[in-house]
Amino acid sequence: MKHDRAEVQTGYSAEEVLILLKELLICYLEELKDARASGEGSFVYGEQTAYTECLEWIALWEGAAEHGLDFTIEERYPL
């Protein structure tokens, strides 16, 4: 799923924002699957780490599993 900043609207509910943010972070993490190969000190690896941590916070949401976060994040996106 490609996200374009021009598509951003206002007036979303908190649940809608969490769903959109989850989708965006997963999209970014899919693109960065091989970031570790760049080295743990690289910017790309830092991005992967930050996105993974953000996704882990979203996974604390009571509706996370219902909206596709029903997996162990670090198993799917190991650091």
Side-chain angles (χ1 to χ4, degrees), residues 20-72:
L20 290 168
L21 188 54
K22 175 214 47 127
E23 290 174 1
L24 182 65
L25 290 168
I26 288 174
C27 179
Y28 289 164
L29 285 167
E30 287 296 323
E31 291 175 3
L32 295 171
K33 272 190 172 180
D34 299 322
R36 181 181 248 170
S38 300
E40 291 187 14
S42 73
F43 179 80
V44 175
Y45 183 73
E47 277 186 294
Q48 181 188 30
T49 302
Y51 296 147
T52 300
E53 186 173 336
C54 290
L55 199 57
E56 288 173 337
W57 280 103
I58 293 172
L60 298 176
W61 167 42
E62 62 188 10
E66 177 184 336
H67 292 283
L69 279 179
D70 54 353
F71 57 90
T72 304

